[in-house]
Amino acid sequence: MSTTTATSTTTATSSRLTAVERSAQVERAIEQAPQQFRVLTGDRPTGPLHLGHLFGTLANRVRLQNLGVEVMVLIADYQAITDRDSPQNLPGDVLGQVADYLAAGIDPSRAMVFAHSQIPALNQLLLPFLSLVSVAELSRNPTVKEEFVASRARSMSALMFTYPVHQAADILFCHANLVPVGQDQLAHLELTRTIARRFNDRYASEHPYFSEPDGLLSAAPLLLGTDGTKMSKSRGNAVALSATEDETARLLRGAKTDPERLITYDPERRPEVSNLLLLGALCREVSPQELAEQIGDAGSARLKSLVIEAVNERLRPIRRKRRELAGQDDYLRRILADGADRARAIGDVTLAEVRQLMHKSY
Ligand code: TRP
C-alpha cells in the first residue's frame, strides 16, 4: 500500500512509474484471489465508444470479469454534463453505451452496468467528500485543466472543477478496491485515495472505513487519435467500435504521419507513426517494434493499410454482436435497471454507514 501514497508534490512521471510497479503487483494478487477484488470503472455517455476506450480500459474490464473479479461499470451521466449541454441525445447514447459494453464482452449476469442518476446514495456522498479537499488541491488537477482547455468554454463550471470529487464517490460508494484506468485518470484516483484516507482520519480513526483503491494501468495508457492528440469523440479523431469497415479505413487513411519511408517505433520523435504502430500492435497482439519491422521501408501508406486491416479484424466479432443488439432497447433498458438495482442496494448501505460515522443518524 505504502508504495502508492504519491502526493501532489511528486512529478507526473514518478507517480506513473509507481502506478506501473503497483499494477504488476496487483495483477499477481488478482491471479491468486480474484474474488477479493471489486472493480469500478466508468465512461461518460458522449456517444459511441471507440478504440481508445477499448484498449484503454474496456478490454481490461472484460479480462478481469473473466478472471472472476466483480466488475461494476458506471455510465457517468452526471459527469457528462461537465463538458456538454445537449441532453436530448442522452437516452440514445446511454443505451448505445450499454450495447457497446455487451458487444465488447461485458456479461450482465456477472457485471453490473448502471448510471449516476440512478443511484441517489452515490451522489449524496459528494457533500461530505467536498469538505475533505481544498480548492487549491482541486486547482492543480492536470486532467481537469486539459479538459477545460479542450472544451473551449469561457469559464469553468463549479461542477467541472469538482467532478474529480464526484468520481471519488463513484469509486468509494461501492468500496471498489481496483480501478482500471488510462494514464489521464491517475490524478483522480490519487484524489480518491486522499479522500478515503482523510475520511478515515476524521470519522473512523479506530477502524478505517474506506480502503484506498488501486489503479490498474493497461498496456495502452494513452492511445492518440488520428490527428496526434488524445483520442476522443469530441475531437473527431476516434474510430468508434460501431463504425463500419469503410468508415474505419477512411479515418485511418487520413491519419497524420511523417514523410520518412522507414517505419520505426519511436514515440518521442515520431508520435503519429508510433501511435499507428501501437494501435496495429494492440489489435494483432504483437509488439509495435515487430510490426515496424514487417513494414520496413514501405512507408506510411503500407503502415496504414496494415493498421486498417488489423483494426477491422479485431473489431469484427464486436461489431457483429453490436449489430444484433441495435434496436433491442427494451432488453438494454432491462440490463440497466437490473444493474442499478444491485448498485443502489450497495450504495444505500454505504450511505447509512457514512451517516452513522459522521454522527448524523438521529
Ligand atoms: N472520468 C472518466 C472518463 O472521463 C469516467 C469516469 C467516471 C470514471 N467515473 C469514474 C472512470 C470512476 C473510473 C472510475 O473517462
Side-chain angles (χ1 to χ4, degrees):
M1 277 271 155
S2 61
T3 50
T4 36
T5 45
T7 64
S8 44
T9 52
T10 43
T11 65
T13 324
S14 74
S15 88
R16 185 169 133 58
L17 260 188
T18 1
V20 170
E21 285 162 12
R22 182 70 190 141
S23 289
Q25 274 177 9
V26 172
E27 284 291 350
R28 286 192 292 276
I30 294 170
E31 262 166 46
Q32 277 158 17
Q35 69 287 355
Q36 285 178 12
F37 291 91
R38 176 179 276 167
V39 161
L40 181 289
T41 58
D43 310 280
R44 300 176 193 193
T46 55
L49 296 183
H50 53 65
L51 286 172
H53 294 112
L54 182 66
F55 291 119
T57 77
L58 200 43
N60 211 13
R61 297 172 199 176
V62 172
R63 183 182 66 90
L64 292 166
Q65 163 197 274
N66 295 342
L67 281 172
V69 173
E70 185 183 23
V71 175
M72 301 182 65
V73 187
L74 169 71
I75 299 180
D77 61 346
Y78 277 142
Q79 195 174 105
I81 57 177
T82 56
D83 60 2
R84 66 210 63 225
D85 44 24
S86 50
Q88 56 281 11
N89 297 332
L90 210 48
D93 285 346
V94 167
L95 291 190
Q97 196 154 312
V98 177
D100 279 339
Y101 289 146
L102 301 189
I106 293 290
D107 170 5
S109 69
R110 287 181 279 172
M112 281 173 240
V113 181
F114 56 97
H116 272 147
S117 58
Q118 297 176 297
I119 320 290
L122 181 167
N123 298 301
Q124 203 171 323
L125 288 177
L126 178 63
L127 212 106
F129 288 180
L130 278 172
S131 75
L132 298 169
V133 294
S134 72
V135 169
E137 261 169 327
L138 294 183
S139 326
R140 286 196 289 268
N141 189 300
T143 304
V144 173
K145 280 188 211 166
E146 273 168 33
E147 285 168 340
F148 173 62
V149 171
S151 78
R152 303 220 171 121
R154 263 178 306 163
S155 61
M156 190 183 303
S157 79
L159 180 65
M160 183 162 199
F161 186 68
T162 55
Y163 93 75
V165 185
H166 192 232
Q167 185 156 329
D170 297 344
I171 297 167
L172 297 177
F173 95 97
C174 61
H175 299 277
N177 53 4
L178 198 57
V179 185
V181 283
Q183 203 181 328
D184 63 324
Q185 299 293 304
L186 286 176
H188 301 346
L189 189 66
E190 208 44 58
L191 184 75
T192 302
R193 297 167 58 85
T194 302
I195 289 174
R197 223 162 33 237
R198 291 187 187 155
F199 183 92
N200 294 340
D201 287 348
R202 190 173 301 179
Y203 300 109
S205 51
E206 306 261 297
H207 306 284
Y209 179 64
F210 288 117
S211 47
E212 293 179 44
D214 272 305
L216 196 60
L217 282 172
S218 74
L222 193 59
L223 200 58
L224 303 176
T226 49
D227 58 355
T229 71
K230 179 184 169 182
M231 190 182 282
S232 114
K233 164 127 201 302
S234 53
R235 297 178 201 203
N237 64 1
V239 178
L241 301 183
S242 55
T244 64
E245 300 205 354
D246 285 349
E247 284 161 356
T248 304
R250 214 173 313 128
L251 208 90
L252 290 171
R253 284 250 175 266
K256 213 165 139 187
T257 49
D258 61 48
E260 259 176 78
R261 301 240 4 125
L262 183 65
I263 298 302
T264 53
Y265 186 66
D266 185 350
E268 286 286 311
R269 206 172 57 80
R270 307 179 71 184
E272 295 94 357
V273 161
S274 301
N275 186 58
L276 283 171
L277 284 168
L278 176 64
L279 177 54
L282 286 164
C283 290
R284 287 269 158 91
E285 296 182 7
V286 296
S287 74
Q289 288 84 356
E290 244 172 282
L291 209 60
E293 271 162 36
Q294 280 175 30
I295 301 164
D297 61 3
S300 24
R302 177 76 196 110
L303 166 66
K304 287 181 182 177
S305 313
L306 205 140
V307 173
I308 290 166
E309 209 179 280
V311 169
N312 281 336
E313 237 166 63
R314 172 71 170 80
L315 293 183
R316 209 161 286 143
I318 296 180
R319 287 170 167 165
R320 197 177 307 124
K321 180 102 196 273
R322 184 70 176 71
R323 277 195 301 273
E324 282 167 26
L325 291 167
Q328 297 200 44
D329 286 4
D330 287 342
Y331 171 71
L332 297 171
R333 265 191 214 102
R334 261 204 316 279
I335 299 293
L336 202 55
D338 174 62
D341 281 344
R342 287 148 71 202
R344 243 189 327 265
I346 296 171
D348 287 347
V349 173
T350 303
L351 183 62
E353 288 169 348
V354 163
R355 288 177 51 190
Q356 191 89 39
L357 288 166
M358 294 178 73
H359 303 274
K360 291 189 193 309
S361 132
Y362 313 117

